Amino acid sequence: MAENPKLQASIRVHRSRLSSAETKNKSRLAAFAPGENIKEIQQKLKEERENKRGHLDGRHYYILVTVADSLGLERSEVEDAILEGNQIEVMDKFLKPNGTKQLMFYYQEPEVEREHFDHGRAVVPPTKSKSTKPKVFVTDGRDTALRGICLVFTKSRSIEEGITEQNMVKELNFTMLDTNGHGSNGSGLLHAVENLMSSVFIPSLKSLKGGWGYLNTKAGHQTQEDFINSLEAFVTVLVGAKESLQEKVTLKPCTTYDLSKINSPSDYMSLANSSDGLEAIEDCMQVWIKQIEQVLAESDQMRKEADDIGPRAEVDHWKKRMSKFNYLLDQIKGQQVKAVLGVLHAAKSKLIKVWQEHDRRITDLANEAKDNVKFLYTLEKFCDPLYNSDPVGMLDGISGLVNAIRMIHSISQYYNTSGRMTSLFVKITNQMITACKSYVTIGGSETVWTQPQTEVVKKLMDCIKLNEEYQRRFLETKEKLEKMPNERPFEISSMYIFGKFDTFTKRLRKIIDMFETISLYTRLSDSKIEGIEAMANRFQVIVTQIKKKPYDFMDQRKTEFDLDYDEFRRQIQELHANIAMFMDGKFERISSTQRAILMLHKFECLDLENLGIQEKYQRILSHYARDIDMVSKIYQKNKSDPPVARDLPPIAGKISWARQLYRRIQEPMEIFQKYPKILEGPEAKKIIKNFNKLAKVLLEFEILYHRGWLRQVEAVKEGLQASLLVRHPDSGDLYVNFDPQLMTMIRETECMVRLGLEISVVAKMMRAKQEEYKDHYNALQLMLDENSRVRSKIPPAFESLMGPHIARVDNAINPGLFKLSWSSLNIDDYIQDIYDNLADLELLMDRVHDVTEFRIEAVLHDMATTTLCELPGDEPWTMQDFIDRTQTLCVKGAQTLQTKSMVVEEAANELIEMLCCSESREDLSDIEEEREDPERSEVESLPGSQRAPSGQKSRPVSSKAIAAAKKKREMQENIEDAAKRASEPLQSPQFGCTLEGDTEYA
């Protein structure tokens, strides 16, 4: 806490007197205890003080150090002072759980001390004189008046465990009231409380955000404001009371005669007959008369007031005036004045007449102040919104405020003069202006430039509306009074009352105009017009210059603003002229109507006035006529074979071409229609006629091709009934039989939908199934590729043997050639069945390949390389040796060939069984079943078919099916013959004869 320099000086003076404390205590002890041993008493007091000192802990020392630092004293000095009496017990009550809520220390001169032993300490007997030494002591503030410094400790909240050394810093609050050096008669205390409230409590409450508890709501916000406003009003009352105490007039005491000796009428007569006594009494009266004359002269002087004070200042003025004259009247009615008047009456002094005149004037002034205060108090509740509300909240209270002033004007005995009523209205105007400034600047924390412009403009309009409502209510009341003969009219100058508010409002309108101008030309920065950047930069420089002005824009007394505002308007006008010249340069030569309209639209988006937008449209309209002619020529040239975009189908592309031509003439016309005056001339009417004619032709072109497309949809629909697959008549290759017109039609449908044209039910169906068609087409194409791949794995030597298996795949494929179409529902099952048959065929081929390569060809290769004859090397053999060796090798070779021949035979039989036997058994069983049950439906062989219920009679087997079965049987017999021929004995590749034994070569 900041230290008061005057306080420190006083402390330094008093510290010099502390050294004599011990000697004074000894003398006091000797005075009231003559029969006791002084040393014993001193020893007893010393022990008691040491016991109390030992009771102190960190909490006590924390408080004592805070007090000592605040007062500029040593801690030991404060400690010695509070060890007297029961002050330690008072501190303990504050520190203990659920103890007292505050602890106060006074530092001032004690008034009286008592003569007795209080808890073992000696004190001074009462005396009339005051001690000259300040002293620190604990008090509750009830019995001792504060004339010095008060130090207060409070608790933040109620604590069950009490104040401890751990929580004392957090839980204890400290403040100080200093009443020294601010007058007497209580003015020092008033100043201390006012300073504490205005410097500490009110700013803290205003900055408090989340400590209001249940009032932290929108509904509680008004309660917060009302509470803070009531505190500010209380501070205003304190200031007024302090000023009243300082301005009061006290009649000087009579120094020429002892007025206490005048007690009866005989004393009056004796003094009146005594020339010396009468002269002394008249001198005293002369002094009083001069004082009163000075007071009267001051009251008649013109009041010097600030030009922005509000109506509360008027109330405070008359309250202080009433207090001043009432206090003076109380003195005039006092005993001393009565005694002097008695002597002067007895002597028939000339001063009596002067005094009576002054007494009458003082009484009239006191009555006037009292009457004025009484009526002005009735305005208090109407004036509170001027201090507590914003301009929006003041609107509802203006009517009541004006009516209350009207009542004062009609009833008041003293305050109904034109001058005072005008002064009151002017103060109300001042407060309204002050409230408006605070409302706009948020209590002075912001400026008009640091807030969003929309919010500032709204606030400024609220202030202007307040002025209009205020003047309207005043004029209504004034006119009403003029029409009432029994009422005194308002003889008040409206110009004098509202002149300042009108000036302030004019300033607000200029600020609003600046904001609107800035908001208007800010669009230059957002514009995409090439070359406009220079204008935007120039505008930013203008705005920056006006924002850097150092004065308060809300202060209507600052005349510099008007000069700066005029300069701002001049620069804006110059900038506007440059923009107009820039725009004219852009439209000197129009190369394209659409580009010109687009460019003009960009300038139009700036929303600037006086740019000649309509004249530019007139020039573009003239160019537009040539565009219509050019579009007409393009149509006539290409209508039979219009250019189609690369990604569009034929019909939709032609319609899009027509629409593009129409759009080239339609978009400018729609813009021209926004300016009806442009289309009123004869040239414009001719352009409109040509436009309508060309638009009709383009529309008919679109309708013609659209109807033709609808008819084409029905024709293309037949393509869905085609078979899935088709076989080439020459090569026999299979192809996917999908009509390309179907996909083109689907693409046309998509484009027609985007163009917003009508599509038929069939087109909607095909569009909905386009993904299904694409999936089936891709699946069939992949299936055919797979079929070609699997068939390519069949060696030419096995083609005849693989006939039945290939026929099985062909049978699975046949429904796609004859029965299934693109509208069938079992296409997926059909494709899956083919894949299953192809998988079986591929598996069979893999097995055949494995048997042929590893079990037949590899073994035959080994047999072909078997050695049956060995020729001699370096030395010759005899014939017998050669024969013997050859016979031995032949025997061994015969055994080896016999074994391998059996292996080849077994593999060949297995291969025959694999290729022929299983198929033969299946075919024979099928034929037998067909013969036994000739009514079985051939449909069972198709994919996705189901067996008919037993209760139903199946159709008979066709002759075609019987012929197919016979063909299969013949093929089976041929395969068996080929296999028998392949199993006949083979000739030896080396000797051309059959070897001994049963060895055969397959």
Side-chain angles (χ1 to χ4, degrees):
M1 184 175 291
E3 297 178 351
N4 193 324
K6 295 182 179 180
L7 173 63
Q8 296 300 320
S10 176
I11 292 172
R12 286 194 295 271
V13 172
H14 294 307
R15 280 182 178 174
S16 62
R17 304 174 184 174
L18 294 177
S19 59
S20 61
E22 186 175 354
T23 57
K24 289 185 177 181
N25 285 335
K26 292 181 179 179
S27 62
R28 289 181 354 221
L29 288 173
F32 64 78
E36 296 186 22
N37 190 334
I38 294 178
K39 292 183 178 180
E40 293 179 358
I41 295 174
Q42 289 179 345
Q43 183 65 28
K44 184 178 179 181
L45 292 176
K46 184 177 180 181
E47 292 176 358
E48 184 177 353
R49 291 170 66 85
E50 293 302 323
N51 290 336
K52 292 181 180 181
R53 195 186 306 274
H55 175 70
L56 301 179
D57 55 21
R59 301 172 300 167
H60 298 85
Y61 286 123
Y62 172 76
I63 295 175
L64 297 179
V65 168
T66 303
V67 173
D69 292 342
S70 301
L71 298 175
L73 303 177
E74 296 293 334
R75 193 202 71 183
S76 58
E77 186 177 349
V78 177
E79 182 180 341
D80 292 338
I82 62 100
L83 289 176
E84 297 181 1
N86 61 346
Q87 298 180 88
I88 296 297
E89 287 78 357
V90 176
M91 293 181 65
D92 290 339
K93 290 180 181 179
F94 173 72
L95 297 173
K96 72 179 183 179
N98 299 321
T100 55
K101 298 183 179 298
Q102 71 278 337
L103 176 65
M104 289 195 300
F105 291 84
Y106 279 5
Y107 180 66
Q108 63 185 22
E109 300 172 357
E111 294 183 357
V112 249
E113 297 180 352
R114 303 175 182 225
E115 182 183 3
H116 65 282
F117 286 97
D118 187 3
H119 297 283
R121 72 179 181 90
V123 291
V124 180
T127 59
K128 291 184 180 180
S129 62
K130 296 182 180 179
S131 173
T132 58
K133 176 183 177 182
K135 183 179 179 181
V136 178
F137 57 93
V138 179
T139 179
D140 58 2
R142 295 187 179 93
D143 301 329
T144 306
L146 176 62
R147 301 184 313 278
I149 301 175
C150 175
L151 302 100
V152 183
F153 292 86
T154 58
K155 298 177 183 178
S156 301
R157 54 193 175 90
S158 180
I159 309 173
E160 296 181 358
E161 65 271 17
I163 301 299
T164 63
E165 295 184 8
Q166 289 74 26
N167 64 12
M168 60 184 180
V169 177
K170 181 179 179 181
E171 299 297 339
L172 290 183
N173 299 322
F174 167 73
T175 188
M176 183 173 71
L177 293 173
D178 185 4
T179 65
N180 293 322
H182 298 286
S184 57
N185 297 326
S187 61
L189 179 59
L190 293 177
H191 173 80
V193 175
E194 180 264 330
N195 183 62
L196 180 64
M197 296 289 291
S198 60
S199 302
V200 180
F201 291 156
I202 294 178
S204 299
L205 290 173
K206 287 184 176 180
S207 61
L208 190 62
K209 299 300 181 183
W212 290 92
Y214 292 108
L215 297 179
N216 283 329
T217 59
K218 292 183 179 180
H221 180 72
Q222 185 60 42
T223 305
Q224 299 176 24
E225 294 293 332
D226 294 342
F227 176 67
I228 294 176
N229 292 330
S230 63
L231 290 180
E232 291 178 338
F234 175 67
V235 170
T236 304
V237 172
L238 293 178
V239 173
K242 182 180 68 173
E243 292 176 353
S244 297
L245 290 175
Q246 293 174 350
E247 295 177 3
K248 68 180 182 179
V249 178
T250 303
L251 296 178
K252 295 181 179 179
C254 184
T255 58
T256 57
Y257 191 85
D258 186 5
L259 299 180
S260 62
K261 296 179 180 180
I262 305 175
N263 297 318
S264 62
S266 59
D267 296 333
Y268 300 160
M269 296 302 297
S270 62
L271 277 176
N273 296 326
S274 172
S275 59
D276 295 337
L278 180 60
E279 183 179 359
I281 293 299
E282 288 181 344
D283 290 342
C284 179
M285 177 58 72
Q286 289 284 1
V287 172
W288 291 348
I289 289 175
K290 289 181 179 179
Q291 283 186 274
I292 293 176
E293 287 177 347
Q294 183 178 358
V295 172
L296 294 174
E298 292 176 354
S299 65
D300 292 337
Q301 291 178 356
M302 182 69 68
R303 290 164 54 184
K304 294 182 179 180
E305 298 175 331
D307 60 351
D308 58 351
I309 60 174
R312 283 182 178 174
E314 185 74 7
V315 179
D316 293 339
H317 167 75
W318 287 107
K319 284 169 60 179
K320 289 188 290 184
R321 192 177 175 93
M322 180 182 69
S323 174
K324 179 179 180 180
F325 288 116
N326 284 342
Y327 183 72
L328 192 56
L329 281 178
D330 291 341
Q331 295 180 78
I332 291 174
K333 296 177 182 179
Q335 187 62 36
Q336 291 186 351
V337 176
K338 287 181 178 180
V340 172
L341 289 176
V343 174
L344 295 178
H345 274 293
K348 298 181 179 179
S349 174
K350 296 180 180 180
L351 296 177
I352 290 296
K353 186 175 181 181
V354 178
W355 176 262
Q356 288 177 345
E357 178 63 22
H358 289 349
D359 187 7
R360 182 188 61 78
R361 291 187 60 188
I362 291 294
T363 303
D364 289 343
L365 291 174
N367 292 334
E368 178 188 25
K370 182 178 180 181
D371 187 74
N372 291 344
V373 169
K374 178 182 68 175
F375 283 102
L376 289 175
Y377 264 136
T378 61
L379 288 178
E380 188 172 9
K381 66 177 181 179
F382 298 104
C383 291
D384 285 342
L386 303 180
Y387 292 87
N388 306 335
S389 299
D390 53 26
V392 179
M394 295 180 192
L395 293 176
D396 296 334
I398 291 178
S399 178
L401 176 62
V402 175
N403 288 331
I405 296 175
R406 170 193 169 187
M407 183 268 295
I408 294 176
H409 179 263
S410 302
I411 301 176
S412 174
Q413 183 179 356
Y414 300 97
Y415 203 79
N416 57 4
T417 64
S418 175
R420 289 176 178 172
M421 297 304 295
T422 301
S423 175
L424 179 60
F425 273 112
V426 169
K427 289 181 174 63
I428 292 173
T429 302
N430 292 339
Q431 183 56 37
M432 286 184 177
I433 295 175
T434 302
C436 289
K437 292 179 180 179
S438 178
Y439 173 62
V440 174
T441 61
I442 314 180
S445 60
E446 301 287 346
T447 66
V448 294
W449 302 113
T450 58
Q451 305 177 65
Q453 288 188 6
T454 53
E455 295 182 8
V456 176
V457 171
K458 179 182 178 300
K459 292 179 180 179
L460 297 179
M461 293 304 300
D462 292 339
C463 297
I464 294 173
K465 186 177 180 180
L466 175 64
N467 180 33
E468 295 173 351
E469 180 68 13
Y470 181 32
Q471 295 193 31
R472 186 178 69 83
R473 292 292 184 181
F474 174 81
L475 294 176
E476 286 180 357
T477 304
K478 185 177 180 179
E479 293 174 359
K480 187 182 298 184
L481 289 177
E482 291 175 353
K483 295 178 182 179
M484 300 174 65
N486 297 330
E487 294 286 343
R488 295 183 56 187
F490 271 166
E491 297 177 353
I492 304 172
S493 173
S494 301
M495 180 62 67
Y496 190 76
I497 296 175
F498 305 112
K500 186 183 297 185
F501 212 160
D502 289 338
T503 303
F504 179 72
T505 302
K506 188 181 296 183
R507 172 66 56 86
L508 299 185
R509 294 186 186 279
K510 288 183 177 180
I511 295 175
I512 292 174
D513 178 66
M514 291 176 62
F515 281 148
E516 291 176 349
T517 303
I518 292 173
S519 177
L520 182 63
Y521 285 88
T522 301
R523 299 168 187 169
L524 294 174
S525 301
D526 301 329
S527 178
K528 304 301 182 182
I529 302 174
E530 184 179 359
I532 201 72
E533 298 83 3
M535 315 298 178
N537 295 335
R538 175 57 184 157
F539 171 71
Q540 292 299 329
V541 172
I542 296 173
V543 174
T544 303
Q545 289 176 351
I546 196 67
K547 285 184 177 181
K548 287 184 177 180
K549 300 301 179 181
Y551 51 79
D552 182 10
F553 282 68
M554 298 293 295
D555 190 351
Q556 74 278 5
R557 297 169 296 183
K558 301 292 183 180
T559 56
E560 308 96 292
F561 172 83
D562 297 324
L563 299 176
D564 294 332
Y565 174 76
D566 294 339
E567 178 64 18
F568 173 80
R569 295 301 308 170
R570 186 192 66 79
Q571 293 178 345
I572 291 297
Q573 291 174 1
E574 182 180 347
L575 176 65
H576 188 88
N578 293 335
I579 295 174
M581 294 175 59
F582 174 75
M583 178 179 173
D584 292 339
K586 288 287 186 180
F587 288 93
E588 286 182 356
R589 184 173 179 273
I590 300 176
S591 59
S592 170
T593 301
Q594 290 183 333
R595 291 180 182 178
I597 290 177
L598 180 61
M599 178 63 68
L600 190 58
H601 179 67
K602 291 181 180 179
F603 279 101
E604 193 174 8
C605 290
L606 296 177
D607 200 17
L608 300 178
E609 297 179 354
N610 302 324
L611 288 181
I613 299 292
Q614 190 167 354
E615 291 79 2
K616 301 298 185 298
Y617 274 118
Q618 189 67 45
R619 291 183 57 188
I620 296 174
L621 181 62
S622 301
H623 189 272
Y624 174 65
R626 295 192 293 271
D627 286 349
I628 292 179
D629 295 338
M630 181 182 65
V631 171
S632 178
K633 292 177 181 178
I634 293 174
Y635 172 76
Q636 294 296 335
K637 180 180 178 181
N638 300 304
K639 64 179 180 179
S640 59
D641 187 17
V644 178
R646 182 175 57 184
D647 59 340
L648 291 179
I651 298 178
K654 293 176 182 179
I655 294 176
S656 298
W657 172 76
R659 283 200 175 185
Q660 184 181 7
L661 295 179
Y662 178 75
R663 190 160 47 247
R664 289 181 61 180
I665 64 174
Q666 174 65 18
E667 291 179 355
M669 181 57 71
E670 289 179 352
I671 297 176
F672 292 141
Q673 288 176 352
K674 297 179 181 179
Y675 300 91
K677 293 183 179 180
I678 298 177
L679 303 177
E680 292 178 356
E683 182 181 355
K685 292 181 179 179
K686 180 179 178 182
I687 294 173
I688 295 174
K689 182 178 179 181
N690 294 335
F691 167 80
N692 292 334
K693 181 179 179 181
L694 181 57
K696 180 181 178 182
V697 171
L698 294 175
L699 182 60
E700 290 175 351
F701 179 88
E702 177 181 328
I703 294 174
L704 178 65
Y705 274 94
H706 178 251
R707 290 177 178 174
W709 174 76
L710 291 176
R711 292 190 296 269
Q712 187 179 359
V713 169
E714 298 297 329
V716 175
K717 175 186 174 183
E718 302 299 327
L720 295 176
Q721 306 302 322
S723 61
L724 298 178
L725 303 175
V726 66
R727 191 181 300 276
H728 195 279
D730 298 331
S731 63
D733 296 334
L734 294 175
Y735 296 95
V736 179
N737 188 24
F738 188 75
D739 188 357
Q741 290 296 324
L742 287 172
M743 296 307 299
T744 302
M745 188 57 59
I746 292 173
R747 176 63 178 155
E748 294 275 10
T749 304
E750 291 285 345
C751 295
M752 293 297 177
V753 171
R754 286 200 296 268
L755 292 172
L757 297 175
E758 179 187 0
I759 60 175
S760 63
V761 178
V762 175
K764 290 181 181 179
M765 182 271 295
M766 288 192 296
R767 181 190 176 209
K769 292 186 176 183
Q770 61 174 321
E771 295 299 329
E772 181 180 344
Y773 295 152
K774 292 178 182 179
D775 293 341
H776 288 164
Y777 176 83
N778 294 330
L780 290 171
Q781 190 64 47
L782 291 174
M783 182 270 294
L784 293 180
D785 295 340
E786 179 70 8
N787 179 54
S788 299
R789 184 188 67 82
V790 173
R791 289 174 184 263
S792 65
K793 295 175 67 175
I794 302 175
F798 288 92
E799 287 184 356
S800 59
L801 298 176
M802 295 297 295
H805 301 281
I806 295 175
R808 186 182 302 172
V809 175
D810 291 338
N811 291 336
I813 294 175
N814 284 336
L817 292 168
F818 306 109
K819 296 183 178 181
L820 296 179
S821 66
W822 292 97
S823 59
S824 300
L825 301 178
N826 55 349
I827 296 177
D828 292 331
D829 296 335
Y830 164 73
I831 295 173
Q832 185 61 41
D833 184 63
I834 295 175
Y835 273 112
D836 293 340
N837 284 277
L838 288 175
D840 294 340
L841 179 60
E842 185 175 15
L843 177 61
L844 178 62
M845 289 307 306
D846 291 339
R847 292 174 60 189
V848 169
H849 181 269
D850 292 342
V851 171
T852 304
E853 181 178 0
F854 298 107
R855 296 178 59 186
I856 296 178
E857 292 181 357
V859 175
L860 289 176
H861 181 269
D862 291 341
M863 293 173 66
T865 58
T866 301
T867 303
L868 299 179
C869 179
E870 184 179 6
L871 297 176
D874 296 337
E875 295 181 0
W877 294 346
T878 64
M879 180 60 69
Q880 188 62 38
D881 290 338
F882 175 75
I883 294 173
D884 294 339
R885 289 175 182 272
T886 302
Q887 288 180 348
T888 303
L889 290 174
C890 288
V891 171
K892 292 181 180 179
Q895 294 176 353
T896 302
L897 292 175
Q898 177 67 22
T899 303
K900 293 184 177 182
S901 177
M902 295 176 63
V903 172
V904 172
E905 181 182 4
E906 181 181 356
N909 291 332
E910 183 177 345
L911 183 59
I912 293 172
E913 180 71 19
M914 186 185 305
L915 294 175
C916 304
C917 296
S918 59
E919 181 65 26
S920 300
R921 286 194 295 269
E922 291 177 2
D923 292 340
L924 291 174
S925 62
D926 291 340
I927 294 172
E928 292 175 357
E929 289 177 0
E930 290 178 1
R931 290 175 178 176
E932 292 175 359
D933 189 5
E935 296 181 352
R936 178 174 297 177
S937 176
E938 182 184 356
V939 187
E940 294 180 359
S941 63
L942 297 178
S945 63
Q946 297 180 355
R947 186 181 299 274
S950 60
Q952 294 180 349
K953 183 177 181 180
S954 302
R955 64 180 179 85
V957 180
S958 64
S959 59
K960 185 177 180 181
I962 297 174
K966 291 181 178 180
K967 186 177 180 180
K968 288 182 180 181
R969 286 196 300 272
E970 292 175 357
M971 187 180 297
Q972 178 66 25
E973 292 174 357
N974 294 333
I975 292 173
E976 290 177 355
D977 293 340
K980 289 179 180 180
R981 289 193 299 269
S983 62
E984 292 179 353
L986 298 177
Q987 298 293 327
S988 171
Q990 296 180 352
F991 300 104
C993 62
T994 303
L995 298 178
E996 294 181 356
D998 297 330
T999 304
E1000 295 178 354
Y1001 287 88

